[in-house]
Amino acid sequence: MIPVNELRAGTNFKEENDIFEVVSYQHTKIGRGSANIKIKARNLKTGQLLEKTFMSGARVEEAETEKKKLQFLYLDAESASFMDQNTFEQVSIPLQSLVGREKYFKEGEVYEVLLAGSAALSAELPKQTVLKVIETGPGVKGDTVSSVYKPSTLENGLMVNVPMFIKIGDLVRVDTRTGEYVERAKS
């Protein structure tokens, strides 16, 4: 059992046969009463974000999970498939559990996947990823001095605003948490 005071972002716990990942944690104490712990947690099976409140001193059941490095294979209409490179065993994560992060997976790359038993629950992305620009407008001479941006389409179909000097074929670094341009990457 885990005391609720130790629930921090990224911690996993089990409640009513569902496994949750803590997204945010807030400790509040008002007047003479006992403290409350408010958390936002994502249900790893459904992807739903819930707010939960616990009394200070309460405990939650620890989720028996493990992280394993697996290679991303492909996306289909319902899931993302990963493979263990040693045993060649394949697991799938439902797209609803990935909550929009599936567009950042690159075929052949290795990611940390959270497993509960033999079921894959979620995959962890790096904070930034490098993607190729496949479509963008032309840069206009003189617009390179100020921070003017133009829309572009990346190899994964993501639309990102990039600086005017970025051309088709350039590699750009994108923040996977916000989906925003960070910098031009070296090829």
Side-chain angles (χ1 to χ4, degrees), residues 1-2 4 8 22 24 32 38-39 42 55 57 60 73 85 94 129 134 136 139 141 150 156 164 166 182:
M1 299 294 275
I2 305 172
V4 293
R8 297 291 186 261
V22 177
S24 68
R32 293 186 191 180
K38 291 184 180 181
I39 63 166
R42 183 175 316 285
M55 297 293 291
V60 292
L73 297 176
Q85 293 176 305
T129 188
I134 60 167
T136 189
K141 189 172 182 175
K150 61 183 178 181
N156 61 355
M164 295 303 273
I166 299 291
V182 177

Side-chain angles (χ1 to χ4, degrees), residues 7-22:
L7 294 177
R8 297 291 186 261
T11 306
N12 298 316
F13 67 94
K14 187 175 181 180
E15 188 174 87
E16 300 172 7
N17 295 327
D18 285 333
I19 297 177
F20 294 90
E21 179 182 21
V22 177

